[in-house]
């Protein structure tokens, strides 16, 4: 029997299963490894920016149609199966990234396939939130899910550092062991294994999700084929009437900017640390552990604050912290910290970057969790799935801005520090627009006869 508790746990397990793609591949292990593949931190940041940016464009083009199809058909699980397969195959392919014998096009294509699978699977599972969250607890369910996902990313990162990834300074893993499975550090097998490891992790831990989650189809739902045929006219009508829903419209634009900034910060954090501070993969891994710990803690606390004070009250301080943190990161280098010169052997730059990483994790976890619940507050009660489709569109339509602008700024300036300045602009734009969004959204202006969000929805 699938109980309400199992449905919530199953939904949480997607965050646990999918988070290693962000933690291990996008940020702390594979992205910094690009420097070894290309031989330069600036070149790695440029190529990574264009590659991730191009993938974002593909996601943006496909996102609105998939959202329209899912909304009309009421089918999410078949899409999640498909995107899960892409996640696994794309992640596994990164095993081929051997320095000195690498086909960069094939590696970036494999990474793109995995990233597309991860992003779209996330879109469809996020749309299930109103179905699994009990009335009055959507903030806690969302926050706890993010926290659970962060913990999953941290455990996966610890396994990589303790059992698989060597520290170049010692030739051993973090706990002093040789890499398991006889991995050969000379050909970087200890690092390349992150791709297959991420794929296996996802496949194993998605089992509870597929066992305990089911589609909830409306009586008027169309077949997938019929929904596909009508996807474009349906999407066109949705976009035409969107500006009339002022709160939802402004929130989607605000989230479009600050989510892109946050994704850019996560995507380039590891590359920045290895290029500017000269960190090893092991140091970046420890940085990742700290970031995921603070992310899990504050996503959980933020979920509680969300239910008590409202999601906007949680999001605004998180954005202010991120703006200040990115500004701080720009002024941390090997020879100076916040404008004060330091010696070549000083550990002050490392300490400063660790502290800034903790703030990034705390603010990022809170921001992402509360954004899901603020969307529910802005959406019309009978169109929750439609709203999540538009949320996916807004998040992906400009997902290329941060990586591409970082790549361009880095290429023009020849400086990784100058290269990340576009992130500040994205966070500020998101904050300014968010100030005009009402926290109670559609609840305040719901027409007579309509119930506020959740009160008419099916809950466990």
């Amino acid at each position: 029997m699938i109980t309400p508790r199992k449905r919530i746990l199953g939904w949480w397990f997607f965050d646990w299963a999918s988070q290693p793609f962000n933690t291990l591949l996008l940020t702390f292990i594979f992205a910094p490894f690009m420097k070894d593949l290309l031989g330069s931190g600036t070149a790695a940041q440029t190529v990574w920016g264009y590659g991730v940016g191009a993938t974002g464009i593909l996601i943006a083009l496909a996102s609105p149609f998939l959202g329209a199809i899912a909304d009309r058909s009421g089918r999410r699980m078949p899409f999640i199966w498909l995107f899960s397969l892409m996640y696994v195959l794309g992640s596994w392919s990164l095993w081929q990234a051997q320095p000195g014998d690498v086909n960069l096009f094939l590696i970036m294509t494999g990474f793109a396939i995995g990233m597309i699978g991860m992003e779209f699977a996330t879109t469809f599972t996020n749309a299930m939130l109103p179905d699994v969250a009990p009335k009055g607890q959507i903030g806690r369910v969302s926050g706890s899910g993010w926290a659970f996902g962060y913990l999953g990313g941290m455990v996966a990162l610890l396994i990589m550092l303790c059992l698989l990834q060597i520290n170049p300074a010692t030739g051993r893993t973090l706990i002093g062991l040789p890499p398991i499975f006889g991995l050969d550090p000379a050909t970087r097998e200890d690092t390349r294994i992150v791709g297959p490891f991420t794929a296996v992790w996802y496949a194993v831990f998605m089992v509870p999700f597929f066992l305990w989650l089911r589609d909830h189809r409306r009586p008027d739902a169309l077949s997938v084929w019929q929904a596909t045929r009508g996807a474009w006219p349906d999407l066109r009508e949705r976009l035409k009437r969107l500006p009339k829903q002022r709160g939802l419209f402004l929130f989607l634009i605000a989230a479009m900017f600050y989510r892109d900034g946050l994704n850019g910060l996560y995507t380039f954090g590891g590359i920045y640390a290895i290029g500017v501070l000269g960190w090893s993969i092991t140091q970046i891994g420890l940085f990742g552990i700290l970031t995921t710990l603070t992310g899990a803690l504050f996503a959980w606390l933020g979920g509680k604050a969300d239910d008590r004070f409202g999601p906007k009250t949680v999001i605004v301080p998180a954005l202010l912290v991120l703006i200040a943190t990115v500004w701080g990161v720009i002024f941390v280098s090997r020879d100076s910290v916040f404008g004060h010169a330091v010696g070549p052997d000083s550990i002050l730059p490392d300490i400063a970057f660790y502290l800034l990483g903790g703030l990034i994790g705390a603010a990022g976890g809170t921001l992402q969790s509360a954004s899901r619940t603020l969307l529910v507050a802005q959406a019309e009660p009978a169109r929750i799935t439609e709203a999540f489709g538009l949320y996916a569109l807004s998040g992906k339509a400009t997902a290329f801005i941060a990586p591409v602008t970082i790549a361009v700024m880095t290429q023009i300036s020849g400086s990784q520090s100058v290269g990340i300045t576009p992130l500040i602009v994205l966070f500020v734009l998101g904050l300014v627009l968010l100030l005009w969004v009402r926290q109670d959204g559609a609840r305040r202006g719901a027409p007579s006869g309509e119930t506020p969000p959740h009160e008419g929805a099916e809950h466990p």
Side-chain angles (χ1 to χ4, degrees):
M1 177 181 178
I2 302 177
T3 64
R5 182 62 178 170
K6 283 185 177 179
R7 292 172 63 195
I8 293 174
L9 285 174
W11 190 77
W12 285 349
F13 259 102
F14 173 79
D15 283 330
W16 176 281
S18 63
Q19 181 61 32
F21 193 98
N22 295 292
T23 303
L24 302 182
L25 302 186
L26 264 173
T27 307
F28 298 117
I29 301 294
F30 192 78
F33 179 56
M34 290 292 292
K35 179 180 181 295
D36 293 333
L37 292 178
L38 299 178
S40 163
T42 302
Q45 183 161 299
T46 302
V47 170
W48 196 246
Y50 285 128
V52 174
T55 304
I57 293 173
L58 293 176
I59 292 170
L61 293 175
S63 175
F65 295 101
L66 290 172
I69 293 169
D71 191 49
R72 290 165 59 85
S73 69
R75 300 294 299 276
R76 300 190 188 106
M77 295 303 288
F79 291 101
I80 295 173
W81 276 105
L82 171 63
F83 298 131
S84 294
L85 179 63
M86 293 176 63
Y87 180 113
V88 171
L89 294 178
S91 299
W92 192 283
S93 71
L94 301 182
W95 171 254
Q96 304 300 321
Q98 181 175 336
D101 184 27
V102 60
N103 186 320
L104 192 60
F105 176 78
L106 291 180
I107 293 301
M108 292 306 296
T109 299
F111 180 85
I113 291 171
M115 183 175 172
I116 290 169
M118 183 271 294
E119 291 284 0
F120 282 135
T122 300
T123 294
F124 283 92
T125 54
N126 277 347
M128 293 179 168
L129 175 59
D131 295 328
V132 301
K135 177 183 175 181
Q137 296 183 26
I138 188 170
R140 295 185 185 186
V141 171
S142 179
S144 296
W146 274 111
F148 193 51
Y150 270 118
L151 289 176
M154 185 188 69
V155 172
L157 184 56
L158 281 171
I159 292 174
M160 276 295 303
L161 295 177
C162 294
L163 300 178
L164 299 168
Q165 172 74 47
I166 68 162
N167 183 341
T170 64
R172 298 276 175 162
T173 68
L174 185 64
I175 58 175
L177 298 175
I180 61 175
F181 306 129
L183 297 172
D184 182 9
T187 58
R188 302 304 302 274
E189 288 182 349
D190 63 311
T191 299
R192 295 189 286 129
I193 193 65
V194 70
F197 174 68
T198 300
V200 171
W201 178 281
Y202 182 87
V204 170
F205 289 112
M206 276 297 285
V207 171
F209 178 91
F210 288 121
L211 285 178
W212 297 334
L213 272 295
R214 298 288 184 272
D215 278 326
H216 294 277
R217 300 190 68 188
R218 304 186 310 271
D220 60 343
L222 304 175
S223 68
V224 173
W225 172 244
Q226 290 174 317
T228 302
R229 291 178 58 189
W232 170 243
D234 182 63
L235 175 64
R236 186 172 54 198
E237 289 303 312
R238 290 180 181 188
L239 295 176
K240 282 183 179 179
R241 66 173 180 264
L242 181 58
K244 298 178 181 179
Q245 299 173 264
R246 183 173 176 271
L248 178 61
F249 183 61
L250 288 175
F251 169 70
L252 290 174
I253 297 176
M256 177 179 70
F257 286 120
Y258 71 67
R259 287 164 69 199
D260 194 29
L262 186 61
N263 288 334
L265 190 55
Y266 286 151
T267 301
F268 290 92
I271 292 178
Y272 187 92
I274 203 170
V276 174
L277 298 179
W279 277 11
S280 67
I281 297 292
T282 301
Q283 286 176 294
I284 294 172
L286 294 173
F287 176 84
I289 292 172
L290 173 63
T291 303
T292 52
L293 276 174
T294 58
L297 175 61
F298 280 87
W300 178 69
L301 292 174
K304 292 180 175 294
D306 184 331
D307 280 339
R308 184 171 181 179
F309 304 109
K312 181 179 173 181
T313 307
V314 173
I315 293 173
V316 170
L319 284 172
L320 291 173
V321 170
L322 286 169
I323 291 168
T325 302
V326 175
W327 186 258
V329 167
I330 293 171
F331 291 97
V332 175
S333 67
R334 198 74 266 172
D335 55 9
S336 68
V337 176
F338 308 138
H340 297 283
V342 298
D345 297 326
S346 174
I347 63 171
L348 191 57
D350 305 300
I351 294 173
F353 206 73
Y354 278 124
L355 292 176
L356 291 169
L359 290 174
I360 291 170
T366 303
L367 178 68
Q368 294 177 93
S369 170
S371 293
R372 294 196 290 203
T373 61
L374 184 56
L375 172 64
V376 173
Q378 303 304 316
E380 296 178 47
R383 293 171 177 166
I384 293 292
T385 305
E386 173 183 301
F388 270 99
L390 293 171
Y391 186 61
L393 170 59
S394 74
K396 304 302 180 292
T398 58
F400 57 90
I401 290 181
V404 169
T405 54
I406 289 174
V408 170
M409 287 294 291
T410 303
Q411 188 174 32
I412 292 174
S413 67
S415 166
Q416 287 187 258
S417 297
V418 175
I420 66 169
T421 54
L423 298 181
I424 295 176
V425 177
L426 292 170
F427 286 132
V428 169
L429 287 173
L431 176 61
V432 170
L433 288 169
L434 189 70
L435 295 177
W436 296 91
V437 178
R438 283 177 171 173
Q439 180 150 270
D440 52 2
R443 296 178 190 143
R444 178 187 293 264
S448 176
E450 286 192 13
T451 52
H454 295 305
E455 292 187 8
E458 179 182 349
H459 294 300

